Amino acid sequence: QKITADNLESAKRVLINRHSGELRSSSYWTTLMSGIQEESIPLKGPLSVTDYKAVVEAITVKDLQLTLECLGLDDTELYTAIGRTVIPEGYVPDEEIVKASPMAGMGRGGALMG
């Protein structure tokens, strides 16, 4: 499906409005600050937070199309996997296991949702 300029402008509005609203949340700021330190994104720094609106506004339809091509989202490149979790026969749970608490930005929508 081809991306139109209207699609892109609508998505930009959503991202900018969501970002503006989330800036009032300390958990969102925590997520943003921890993201700045992410080694897998070497050029990410404080400007990615302060210039967020300008960066989003600068995205073009061509930028988005190239990104999607690199991600390999064509039907021929995707697959479906169905898994099932079962408890093995004779399994005894270890009561010493400590369950991790959810991390910031790990909900639906990742860092955008807080």
Side-chain angles (χ1 to χ4, degrees):
Q1 181 176 352
K2 188 168 173 103
I3 299 166
T4 67
D6 287 342
N7 296 141
L8 181 59
E9 290 306 314
S10 176
K12 285 179 182 181
R13 276 194 309 274
V14 169
L15 287 174
I16 291 168
N17 289 338
R18 185 177 290 164
H19 176 73
S20 296
E22 290 289 344
L23 286 174
R24 297 181 195 104
S25 160
S26 59
S27 65
Y28 185 66
W29 276 100
T30 302
T31 302
L32 291 175
M33 294 299 110
S34 64
I36 288 174
Q37 300 172 13
E38 188 65 46
E39 289 181 17
S40 62
I41 310 172
L43 300 177
K44 188 171 182 183
L47 292 179
S48 64
V49 176
T50 58
D51 293 349
Y52 183 86
K53 184 176 179 180
V55 170
V56 171
E57 290 291 353
I59 296 171
T60 66
V61 170
K62 185 69 175 172
D63 293 334
L64 196 50
Q65 287 171 337
L66 289 171
T67 301
L68 291 172
E69 286 173 20
C70 289
L71 291 175
L73 298 176
D74 188 71
D75 286 344
T76 60
E77 299 178 54
L78 298 175
Y79 63 92
T80 301
I82 300 173
R84 192 174 102 186
T85 302
V86 296
I87 298 175
E89 195 173 311
Y91 172 77
V92 178
D94 185 356
E95 293 183 25
E96 293 182 26
I97 294 177
V98 177
K99 293 184 178 182
S101 41
M103 296 175 61
M106 293 301 290
R108 183 171 181 236
L112 294 178
M113 298 301 286

